[in-house]
Amino acid sequence: MTTFTHDAELIQQVVDHIENHLALQQADELSVAHLAQQVGVSPWHFQRLFKTWVGETLGNYIRGRRLSAAAQQLLHGSDSIIDIAFAVGFNSHEAFSRSFKSQYGLPPKQFRQQAPAVDLQQKPVLSQQLYQHLSEEMQRQPEIITRPELTLQGFKTRIPSPFLVEGSYCHLLENSWRQLFSHLDQLPGHVPHTMMGITISDSGRFDEPELDYMAAVAFDDAAALPSLGAGMSRYSLPQQTIARFSVASVDIDTVGKTMDYIYGYWLPDSGYQRASGDDYELFEEVMDMDFSNIKSSYVIPVSALPESS
């Protein structure tokens, strides 16, 4: 058995145990010592393994999973807030409300009233597939940079919102990419060998049932913009601080798992918050429509969290 397989099995045992005991308020049941004993390793080795591969502490993971379970109950159930708090392992309304607002930006009552359709802050279950993605297929610590103002030009298509509907929509994107490649000679002056795939929400909340997906090239000089050809669209990105995560491959499963990690694991502990603006995929060293040998990144806009007084 390889080290990765062995570690993955240990982590999965721990995650399964946590999921089965989220409602318990007994601290010992989900303590480092107890969980380490469950999988037959020392507490020191367990803490090191969990933090190394998951990217956060056991306590943060458990708290995040409890709050994610609570968010689902608030949106889809009718139990009182205090009953939900106890059901997910909190021993007081105050502790639950404080933790919930810290993760979701809203107190539980307001969260239930507003019923957001898209919940990017949810902490997903750490499946073996996600664990493997974090371990082998993506850079877990991003490059934080200031991106200059860019203008995108390319082709749009309507897609079902990937934030609301599960399932593959890659076949819907192909035509936009084919159009872009076939019209590159009409787009001189763009950033060379670089393309972007961006999902655009008119509301900025990504809660529409359908969104625009744009396959585009970028221009960092507005004066160099070519005329809009038939069927082309433009979209502007302001100068902005971004977090850029390198990923090893390009497909719908990769994007979903990358977003799960960024929003569920990295962002809550990063010292940053998501800023207004757009996420996008960045493709570099692009020579043709064979995306197997390119550099791929997932990018989100960020701003530093204000220092607490």
Side-chain angles (χ1 to χ4, degrees):
M1 181 183 296
T2 66
T3 300
F4 172 81
T5 301
H6 181 257
D7 289 351
E9 289 184 357
L10 290 183
I11 293 294
Q12 195 62 54
Q13 288 180 51
V14 169
V15 167
D16 291 343
H17 186 86
I18 291 171
E19 291 299 308
N20 290 330
H21 295 85
L22 281 178
L24 291 181
Q25 296 175 39
Q26 295 95 325
D28 288 347
E29 188 68 29
L30 296 180
S31 68
V32 170
H34 179 81
L35 291 171
Q37 184 180 36
Q38 291 292 305
V39 294
V41 298
S42 71
W44 180 88
H45 178 68
F46 173 76
Q47 291 183 83
R48 179 175 174 272
L49 180 70
F50 199 91
K51 183 71 165 60
T52 297
W53 291 114
V54 181
E56 67 176 350
T57 65
L58 174 70
N60 282 349
Y61 178 79
I62 293 171
R63 182 168 55 254
R65 285 297 303 141
R66 283 175 161 164
L67 293 171
S68 293
Q72 292 302 306
Q73 292 184 45
L74 286 167
L75 293 176
H76 305 296
S78 57
D79 290 346
S80 68
I81 292 174
I82 187 60
D83 285 343
I84 291 173
F86 281 114
V88 297
F90 286 84
N91 55 18
S92 75
H93 184 283
E94 292 75 16
F96 171 63
S97 295
R98 185 169 56 251
S99 292
F100 193 90
K101 185 176 181 181
S102 176
Q103 177 158 323
Y104 290 96
L106 294 171
K109 182 177 180 180
Q110 192 173 346
F111 183 88
R112 170 173 266 174
Q113 290 171 339
Q114 293 188 8
V118 176
D119 170 23
L120 291 175
Q121 289 116 319
Q122 180 170 256
K123 189 176 293 296
V125 178
L126 186 67
S127 65
Q128 286 201 30
Q129 292 78 17
L130 177 56
Y131 174 72
Q132 182 167 358
H133 181 64
L134 303 187
S135 304
E136 299 181 345
E137 299 172 3
M138 74 169 289
Q139 171 195 20
R140 287 183 291 170
Q141 291 304 315
E143 180 184 14
I144 306 292
I145 59 175
T146 300
R147 182 203 60 221
E149 181 179 355
L150 296 175
T151 302
L152 310 186
Q153 194 156 315
F155 293 87
K156 287 182 179 179
T157 188
R158 296 291 282 178
I159 62 170
S161 172
F163 301 94
L164 296 175
V165 178
E166 294 186 4
S168 175
Y169 55 90
C170 284
H171 63 288
L172 300 176
L173 312 183
E174 184 176 347
N175 187 54
S176 291
W177 285 107
R178 289 195 179 280
Q179 286 182 296
L180 181 63
F181 276 97
S182 67
H183 288 80
L184 286 179
D185 59 343
Q186 299 177 29
L187 296 166
H190 66 267
V191 180
H193 307 303
T194 299
M195 296 182 178
M196 297 165 67
I198 184 168
T199 303
I200 302 167
S201 164
D202 292 335
S203 71
R205 298 186 302 272
F206 294 94
D207 57 4
E208 301 92 338
E210 289 189 333
L211 302 170
D212 283 322
Y213 178 89
M214 186 174 183
V217 291
F219 295 82
D220 52 18
D221 181 0
L225 284 169
S227 60
L228 279 173
M232 287 188 193
S233 299
R234 276 193 192 134
Y235 192 73
S236 296
L237 296 173
Q239 177 176 303
Q240 194 167 34
T241 301
I242 58 171
R244 174 174 159 170
F245 297 81
S246 294
V247 294
S249 59
V250 182
D251 58 53
I252 186 60
D253 291 333
T254 297
V255 172
K257 286 179 286 196
T258 297
M259 290 179 64
D260 281 346
Y261 169 71
I262 292 172
Y263 286 103
Y265 293 89
W266 178 78
L267 195 58
D269 297 319
S270 67
Y272 291 91
Q273 59 190 346
R274 190 187 185 282
S276 61
D278 303 283
D279 294 15
Y280 56 88
E281 294 172 90
L282 176 66
F283 308 115
E284 298 175 288
E285 301 180 7
V286 181
M287 300 300 175
D288 52 40
M289 281 196 68
D290 178 8
F291 277 23
S292 60
N293 296 314
I294 64 171
K295 289 176 62 179
S296 173
S297 303
Y298 193 87
V299 177
I300 70 167
V302 295
S303 60
L305 284 170
E307 294 184 9
S308 55
S309 55

